[in-house]
Amino acid sequence: MEQEYAVYKGDELLCIGTKEECAKELGVQPEYIYWLTTPTAKRRLASRRNPEKCTVGIKL
């Protein structure tokens, strides 16, 4: 079974599914959905001025 992801913007759930399904829903590349779950993305999120407005991804 393929890895599933949940994508949030702040407290709002945008989508749940495989990276391909989420990418199609959001109009982005599947690699971006994967990138949202990386340590680099988490570090950048922590340094943002308004992290509560950022898009974040979580592997389920």
Side-chain angles (χ1 to χ4, degrees):
M1 188 168 161
E2 198 169 340
Q3 179 73 50
E4 295 223 333
Y5 299 82
V7 181
Y8 292 88
K9 184 161 192 149
D11 290 336
E12 179 186 355
L13 176 63
L14 299 178
C15 62
I16 294 178
T18 64
K19 63 184 173 186
E20 288 80 12
E21 293 168 342
C22 290
K24 186 175 180 181
E25 177 82 20
L26 300 174
V28 297
Q29 295 294 314
E31 293 77 22
Y32 177 68
I33 303 300
Y34 172 77
W35 182 84
L36 289 172
T37 66
T38 63
T40 301
K42 292 180 187 343
R43 279 194 303 274
R44 287 188 187 177
L45 172 64
S47 67
R48 297 270 311 250
R49 196 175 303 174
N50 295 313
E52 67 278 354
K53 294 181 182 178
C54 295
T55 303
V56 295
I58 300 171
K59 287 184 182 181
L60 302 177

